[in-house]
Amino acid sequence: MFGFHKPKMYRSIEGCCICRAKSSSSRFTDSKRYEKDFQSCFGLHETRSGDICNACVLLVKRWKKLPAGSKKNWNHVVDARAGPSLKTTLKPKKVKTLSGNRMKSNQISKLQKEFKRHITSQMRAQIQRWLPALIELRFFPS
């Protein structure tokens, strides 16, 4: 009654041979049926084979419907889902320094005066406990 069929695959270990997507909301299929159109459709200079995602299959089908002589291709899709490139992974990240966050002593005293007006005795005790630790960590200059 039910013949054997290839199961639908929503993840691919190697990824789509065109865009390199490894998972898709629609299935991956074998690219043999579409490989002859890859060079013209995606502007490729090398041959590619393997699994192809449904989004790339639809691009090939759309490319086939273009009028004769059309120069349109989808080369911007090639390796678009491959992940970060070496250029971005080797670039050092900027580290924020605490020097921009430090407060001057006159700013601290102004804040302390403001706090004295508006805080309870319990809050004042907590501030007195934490202030030396913050100064020791150089969050506030001494």
Side-chain angles (χ1 to χ4, degrees):
M1 188 161 130
F2 293 105
F4 177 76
H5 65 280
K6 192 173 181 184
K8 293 180 180 179
M9 194 169 52
Y10 294 93
R11 294 190 185 278
S12 173
I13 294 168
E14 288 129 23
C16 173
C17 64
I18 300 298
C19 68
R20 300 285 184 230
K22 292 192 177 208
S23 64
S24 175
S25 59
S26 54
R27 66 177 182 254
F28 286 86
T29 55
D30 190 44
S31 66
K32 287 181 185 169
R33 184 174 173 188
Y34 306 100
E35 287 173 7
K36 64 184 182 302
D37 300 315
F38 284 175
Q39 288 186 341
S40 303
C41 178
F42 296 107
L44 293 172
H45 300 291
E46 74 276 355
T47 57
R48 294 198 181 193
S49 61
D51 293 330
I52 184 170
C53 68
N54 192 51
C56 291
V57 168
L58 293 175
L59 291 176
V60 172
K61 289 181 177 181
R62 185 178 293 170
W63 175 83
K64 285 182 177 181
K65 291 180 181 179
L66 289 174
S70 176
K71 300 282 186 196
K72 184 169 178 68
N73 68 27
W74 281 268
N75 62 348
H76 63 280
V77 173
V78 176
D79 297 334
R81 303 278 181 191
S85 66
L86 274 175
K87 187 176 181 181
T88 57
T89 55
L90 295 177
K91 195 182 289 184
K93 291 183 177 179
K94 291 183 180 178
V95 179
K96 291 183 180 179
T97 61
L98 287 176
S99 61
N101 294 338
R102 291 191 181 152
M103 300 177 89
K104 295 178 183 173
S105 59
N106 62 347
Q107 289 174 315
I108 294 172
S109 61
K110 283 182 184 178
L111 284 174
Q112 286 174 337
K113 288 177 186 175
E114 189 69 28
F115 275 130
K116 285 179 183 176
R117 284 188 222 137
H118 297 288
I119 60 174
T120 64
S121 60
Q122 185 181 11
M123 293 169 91
R124 191 173 294 127
Q126 287 179 343
I127 291 170
Q128 293 299 327
R129 272 187 260 137
W130 280 98
L131 196 57
L134 292 174
I135 291 172
E136 186 177 315
L137 291 171
R138 295 179 183 232
F139 190 75
F140 301 120
S142 54

